[in-house]
């Protein structure tokens, strides 16, 4: 960690690409980095020595990439024609991350290569998006995965979407108009401002080739993200909390946990704990995309080096927090919405004793539902329920969660109360 620490001068947001497989998400991501790098508007994103993805830890130049050991997603972006290759893997599956700057903002860009990666990242909290770019191929239009991902984005709280109609250079103009109408209708159906949100026609391949028209289209897309996606509310003054997404040991350094800072600020030397494990330690180093940082703020995806913590003492689903700020619990009350069958949810009601999987931050825990005096909770309805988890996780009022069973999302909710004392049995 000998490099000079990065100093942030612009507000930071996390956005992501989503859409049907083969519609051009990774090519568009490469085009964005290429266009910004030629304008000196892009940040250097290097492999990170803390994460174990580079032998040297040196930043990757904007015009070429170190393919040493960055993972599959880095190579996917590198193999896109003339792609700008400054990317780093997140350490979670094959979800790729790049970072860049526009004139007014700094972005971390999440690029899940496949539908399963997108679903896993969104449901388990590996991707906490402030906004998203919905990628739809102009020649192909809305596909089943497009609709599934829009629904999931709404369920997990992604409030702002900008649409990129890709491969617009190859699409018939009348067909592209029809596809735009279909996309706007889909988004309106799921509660987005489909009639007014930005829809930009782009060609990632032509932009990568330097075609001025399509380079301008990518610039227009970035301008739309800058203006349409608002700056999120950040709880920088709250006690620090980071949901743990991944844990690894780096020889000669120690245990590293990665995740996105949910609230508060952390600096090297700060005391932290892993609630429920008895682990209390100090932060000895911070890196974001391979660049050393003096501190990490809400929204940052960061690697945190911990002093003297055994690898087996921390796992995905734990949280790293300011000592004494949060405590694990097993039971809580919540307002929970059950998806209807038309939304991809259950076709039958839920009764007391039903046991799905609950995804709370990065934790995946089985638990039982008590619907109380209502007796049943029907698909398409919102109910107040009591949940008993099989193991303790850090809980607090306002925490959002999703409910999964059989490989699909069947509900979403918000914790109302997580009392210190157990509920009466």
């Amino acid at each position: 960690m000998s490099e000079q620490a990065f100093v942030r001068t612009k507000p930071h947001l996390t956005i992501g690409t989503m859409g049907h497989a083969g519609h051009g998400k990774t090519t568009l991501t490469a085009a964005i980095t290429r266009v910004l790098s030629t304008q000196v508007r892009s940040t250097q994103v290097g492999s990170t020595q803390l994460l174990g993805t580079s032998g040297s830890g040196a930043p990757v130049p904007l015009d070429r990439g170190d393919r040493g050991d960055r993972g599959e997603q880095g190579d996917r972006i590198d193999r896109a024609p003339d792609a700008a290759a400054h990317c780093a893997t997140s350490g979670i599956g094959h979800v790729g991350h790049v970072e860049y700057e526009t004139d007014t903002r700094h972005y971390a860009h999440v690029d899940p290569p496949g539908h399963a990666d997108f679903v896993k990242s969104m449901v388990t909290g590996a991707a906490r998006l402030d906004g998203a770019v919905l990628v739809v191929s102009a020649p192909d239009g809305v596909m089943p995965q497009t609709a599934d991902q829009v629904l999931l984005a709404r369920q997990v709280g992604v409030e702002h979407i900008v649409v990129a109609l890709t491969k617009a250079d190859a699409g018939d103009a009348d067909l592209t108009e029809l596809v735009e109408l279909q996309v706007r209708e889909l988004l309106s159906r799921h509660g987005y401002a489909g009639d007014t949100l930005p829809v930009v026609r782009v060609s990632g391949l032509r932009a990568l080739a330097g075609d001025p028209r399509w380079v301008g289209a990518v610039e227009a897309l970035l301008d739309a993200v800058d203006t349409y996606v608002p700056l999120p509310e950040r709880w920088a003054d709250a006690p620090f909390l980071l949901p743990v997404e991944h844990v690894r040991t780096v020889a000669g350094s120690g245990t590293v946990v990665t995740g996105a800072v949910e609230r508060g600020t952390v600096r090297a030397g700060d005391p932290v704990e892993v609630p429920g494990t008895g682990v209390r330690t100090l932060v000895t180093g911070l890196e974001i995309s391979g660049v050393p940082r003096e501190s990490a703020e809400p929204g940052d995806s960061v690697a945190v080096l911990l002093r003297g913590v055994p690898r087996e003492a921390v796992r995905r689903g734990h949280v790293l927090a300011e000592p004494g700020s949060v405590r694990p619990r097993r039971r809580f009350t919540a307002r929970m919405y059950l998806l209807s069958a038309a939304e991809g949810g259950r076709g039958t009601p839920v009764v007391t004793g039903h046991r799905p999987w609950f995804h709370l931050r990065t934790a995946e825990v089985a638990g039982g539902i008590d619907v109380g005096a209502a007796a049943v909770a029907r698909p398409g309805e919102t109910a107040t329920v009591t949940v008993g988890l099989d193991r303790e996780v850090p809980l607090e009022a306002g925490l959002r969660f999703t409910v999964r069973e059989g490989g699909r999302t069947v509900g979403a909710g918000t914790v109302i109360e997580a009392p210190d004392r157990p509920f009466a049995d």
Side-chain angles (χ1 to χ4, degrees):
M1 296 180 60
S2 60
E3 301 91 341
Q4 182 179 359
F6 175 83
V7 179
R8 176 177 292 128
T9 59
K10 299 177 181 178
H12 171 79
L13 291 86
T14 300
I15 64 171
T17 39
M18 63 185 198
H20 191 79
H23 278 208
K25 298 185 295 295
T26 300
T27 302
L28 177 61
T29 303
I32 290 172
T33 61
R34 170 64 69 181
V35 168
L36 291 180
S37 68
T38 60
Q39 300 174 1
V40 199
R41 298 164 67 192
S42 178
T43 60
Q44 289 188 340
V45 177
S47 303
T48 167
Q49 191 165 355
L50 282 184
L51 290 177
T53 55
S54 170
S56 65
V60 180
L62 297 178
D63 59 346
R64 64 180 178 85
D66 174 9
R67 303 190 183 194
D69 196 15
R70 290 176 298 131
E72 177 182 326
Q73 179 64 4
D75 290 338
R76 286 170 56 88
I77 293 181
D78 287 344
R79 289 197 298 266
D82 296 325
H86 56 297
C87 90
T89 58
S90 68
I92 307 301
H94 298 299
V95 179
H97 286 239
V98 295
E99 292 194 31
Y100 48 78
E101 288 185 358
T102 63
D103 290 334
T104 59
R105 294 176 172 182
H106 176 272
Y107 289 99
H109 186 124
V110 183
D111 181 35
H115 180 64
D117 300 286
F118 178 86
V119 171
K120 179 181 178 182
S121 298
M122 297 297 285
V123 169
T124 63
R128 297 177 181 274
L129 304 183
D130 301 313
V133 177
L134 175 62
V135 175
V136 181
S137 166
D140 300 317
V142 173
M143 303 292 280
Q145 289 179 6
T146 312
D148 290 346
Q149 293 185 17
V150 169
L151 172 61
L152 182 57
R154 169 54 72 187
Q155 293 166 2
V156 299
V158 178
E159 301 293 340
H160 302 279
I161 289 179
V162 173
V163 178
L165 291 183
T166 55
K167 309 179 185 179
D169 59 315
D172 176 79
D174 291 337
L175 177 60
T176 302
E177 289 284 352
L178 179 60
V179 170
E180 179 175 335
L181 291 174
Q182 291 176 337
V183 174
R184 290 188 181 277
E185 180 183 356
L186 170 68
L187 290 166
S188 297
R189 192 161 64 244
H190 290 290
Y192 292 100
D195 293 337
T196 58
L197 57 76
V199 177
V200 183
R201 302 178 186 187
V202 298
S203 170
L205 285 176
R206 297 293 293 274
L208 285 167
D211 187 310
R213 174 187 174 186
W214 299 107
V215 167
V218 171
E219 293 173 341
L221 176 66
L222 292 167
D223 289 341
V225 174
D226 278 347
T227 56
Y228 186 74
V229 179
L231 293 176
E233 182 181 3
R234 302 295 196 196
W235 295 282
D237 296 331
F240 166 70
L241 188 143
L242 178 144
V244 175
E245 297 170 7
H246 194 70
V247 184
R248 64 179 63 187
T249 299
V250 178
S253 296
T255 296
V256 176
V257 300
T258 64
V261 178
E262 181 175 307
R263 66 177 187 233
T265 302
V266 63
R267 296 175 176 82
D270 283 354
V272 292
E273 69 171 352
V274 182
T277 67
V279 172
R280 288 203 175 199
T281 185
L282 295 177
V283 174
T284 57
L286 299 169
E287 283 189 4
I288 300 178
S289 298
V291 182
R293 305 292 174 102
E294 294 180 352
S295 64
E297 303 173 1
D300 287 342
S301 293
V302 61
V304 183
L305 180 62
L306 303 177
R307 174 184 294 174
V309 176
R311 166 65 180 83
E312 63 275 7
V314 188
R315 66 173 184 270
R316 179 181 176 85
H318 285 153
V319 301
L320 194 66
E322 179 179 316
S325 63
V326 65
R327 58 175 295 184
R329 299 177 176 90
R330 291 183 59 179
R331 298 175 70 86
F332 61 92
T333 58
R335 291 286 288 171
M336 185 177 73
Y337 173 72
L338 289 176
L339 275 64
S340 66
E343 295 172 315
R346 296 172 52 87
T348 57
V350 167
V351 299
T352 296
H354 184 65
R355 291 181 54 80
W357 287 89
F358 293 86
H359 293 263
L360 303 108
R361 297 189 176 100
T362 56
E364 179 181 3
V365 189
I369 295 175
D370 183 347
V371 297
V376 297
R378 295 178 174 82
E381 295 181 348
T382 300
T384 300
V385 299
T386 300
V387 177
L389 302 174
D390 287 0
R391 62 178 174 85
E392 291 186 334
V393 298
L395 296 171
E396 54 197 351
L399 177 64
R400 299 175 66 101
F401 62 89
T402 55
V403 186
R404 301 266 293 174
E405 57 183 40
R408 60 179 178 173
T409 303
V410 297
T414 303
V415 175
I416 298 174
E417 181 186 15
D420 291 335
R421 60 179 179 82
F423 291 92
D425 292 329

